Amino acid sequence: MGAYIIRRILLMIPTLFGIMVVNFALVQFVPGGPIEQILSQLDEASSATDRIAGGGGEVGGGANSEYQGAKGLPEDFIKDLEKQFGFDKPPLERFLLMMTNYLRFDFGESYFRSISVIDLVKEKMPVSITLGLWSTLLAYLISIPLGIRKAVSDGSRFDTGTSVAIIIAYAIPSFLFAILLLVLFAGGSYYKLFPLRGLTSENFADLGTLAQIKDYLWHISLPVLAVTIGSFATLTLLTKNSFLDEIKKQYVVTARAKGLSENQVFYGHVFRNAMLIVVAGFPSAFIGVFFGSSLIIEVVFSLDGLGRLAFEAAVNRDYPVLFGTLYVFGILGLVVHLITDLTYTLVDPRIDFESRET
């Protein structure tokens, strides 16, 4: 197993490098870089000042033709901006320099926030960890037992009723369900049982330990529920179908013919094989919840997490934040996939990755 882990870690290097190359190359063709963003903001500011000056009165006295912004920005100023952001170098040199720094986990500072990317990610991480961890945990704790029960009682009233509820839950978009929760339970039009925004209360630091836990759970209840609804439905049906496929196989009939009890057949044979596909879906479920749904939920519940950070970095062309978070998320995704493969051996010891060819 040790050799397999080493091989996988070594394969992560070219994979991560390829991810960064593709995204860096795509960015080169996207118009409106950080220099253009700054120039546009300065141009808007100068235009606004120019309009005020042109209005007469005490502000400008009508002498808008003397305003420097109306004559355009100096070329030296633009070149200084390019040098400050490193755009005076060719793309290949900038990419190699960026990757050299990233190998040391030096992601630089945000172009527009005057804060290091690491500190910025640490600041936003609690929100995304809350949404990703609790939503994935809740989905698995509910979906696996429910899916098993549906497989065992396939075709019963319980199976039909829960299937209808699951399909309805799956059909509702997460953002619409989030708005519905706000309207119903966060003081929208009916009840004010949960807070409208934030991860904790303003007086969180002054509370005791138990009160802090209660306050934290009180704030995350609606966002976590909104994120969980989609993944919960998908995982339940996946679990049910996986167990149904195993129950219908010949080895189950043979095990029953040998006189094994239903519990022995189910938990000794079916469970181990059926759980493989459920475990295989863990990386996509975790990463999908952690990053995919977080932006919409963060906006609806006024949470400041990694989803909004990445979105704002893309809109503002804040490349250190954009590529820094991409690098970290890429490593995280590759590590999660490796952990999933190792989990296979815990679920089914017969699986031996060591004997596989690289």
Side-chain angles (χ1 to χ4, degrees), residues 320-332:
V321 177
L322 184 65
F323 288 115
T325 52
L326 176 66
Y327 184 82
V328 174
F329 297 165
I331 292 176
L332 180 61

Side-chain angles (χ1 to χ4, degrees), residues 150 155-168:
K150 286 173 64 62
S156 65
R157 283 187 175 182
F158 174 82
D159 179 44
T160 304
T162 53
S163 294
V164 172
I166 287 172
I167 292 174
I168 293 175

Side-chain angles (χ1 to χ4, degrees), residues 103-119:
L103 290 176
R104 303 192 304 266
F105 286 90
D106 177 13
F107 303 109
E109 288 190 353
S110 168
Y111 284 159
F112 306 104
R113 304 194 188 205
S114 299
I115 183 176
S116 69
V117 176
I118 291 292
D119 292 337

Side-chain angles (χ1 to χ4, degrees), residues 10-289:
L10 292 177
L11 284 174
M12 289 180 186
I13 298 175
T15 303
L16 184 62
F17 185 80
I19 292 173
M20 299 302 296
V21 167
V22 171
N23 284 274
F24 186 86
L26 289 175
V27 164
Q28 306 310 308
F29 299 99
V30 177
I35 303 296
E36 288 77 4
Q37 294 280 336
I38 294 176
L39 296 180
S40 176
Q41 293 174 7
L42 292 174
D43 184 61
E44 291 177 1
S46 65
S47 298
T49 305
D50 197 27
R51 287 195 300 270
I52 294 174
E58 298 179 359
V59 177
N64 59 320
S65 60
E66 297 297 322
Y67 180 59
Q68 181 66 30
K71 302 177 182 178
L73 294 171
E75 189 68 25
D76 292 340
F77 175 76
I78 297 176
K79 290 183 178 180
D80 289 340
L81 278 179
E82 292 178 347
K83 185 176 181 180
Q84 178 183 349
F85 291 128
F87 289 100
D88 57 331
K89 302 180 180 66
L92 179 59
E93 184 179 348
R94 285 191 281 117
F95 176 75
L96 294 177
L97 179 62
M98 181 185 73
M99 293 304 298
T100 301
N101 293 331
Y102 282 9
L103 290 176
R104 303 192 304 266
F105 286 90
D106 177 13
F107 303 109
E109 288 190 353
S110 168
Y111 284 159
F112 306 104
R113 304 194 188 205
S114 299
I115 183 176
S116 69
V117 176
I118 291 292
D119 292 337
L120 199 56
V121 170
K122 288 180 180 178
E123 180 184 324
K124 313 298 183 183
M125 185 68 77
V127 171
S128 295
I129 289 180
T130 293
L131 293 178
L133 182 61
W134 287 110
S135 299
T136 305
L137 181 62
L138 184 62
Y140 269 76
L141 288 177
I142 296 176
S143 299
I144 292 178
L146 180 59
I148 293 174
R149 173 71 186 279
K150 286 173 64 62
V152 173
S153 56
D154 183 43
S156 65
R157 283 187 175 182
F158 174 82
D159 179 44
T160 304
T162 53
S163 294
V164 172
I166 287 172
I167 292 174
I168 293 175
Y170 183 74
I172 300 176
S174 59
F175 77 92
L176 185 60
F177 187 68
I179 295 174
L180 179 64
L181 291 176
L182 286 179
V183 172
L184 292 178
F185 303 112
S189 302
Y190 296 90
Y191 306 101
K192 192 174 182 180
L193 303 178
F194 296 93
L196 185 61
R197 60 177 61 87
L199 201 61
T200 56
S201 299
E202 293 182 358
N203 63 336
F204 182 79
D206 301 328
L207 301 176
T209 302
L210 292 179
Q212 286 183 342
I213 295 174
K214 182 180 178 181
D215 182 77
Y216 172 72
L217 295 176
W218 183 47
H219 278 78
I220 70 172
S221 296
L222 295 186
V224 169
L225 184 59
V227 176
T228 305
I229 191 71
S231 57
F232 152 77
T234 304
L235 185 58
T236 301
L237 295 178
L238 175 66
T239 304
K240 176 193 172 182
N241 294 332
S242 177
F243 275 84
L244 277 179
D245 289 342
E246 293 298 325
I247 289 173
K248 295 177 181 179
K249 289 184 178 178
Q250 184 62 39
Y251 74 87
V252 175
V253 178
T254 303
R256 287 171 177 166
K258 291 181 177 179
L260 297 179
S261 65
E262 286 298 319
N263 285 338
Q264 289 176 321
V265 172
F266 192 83
Y267 292 104
H269 299 278
V270 174
F271 184 84
R272 181 176 60 186
N273 295 327
M275 282 298 294
L276 286 175
I277 190 172
V278 178
V279 172
F282 175 79
S284 58
F286 179 77
I287 298 298
V289 170

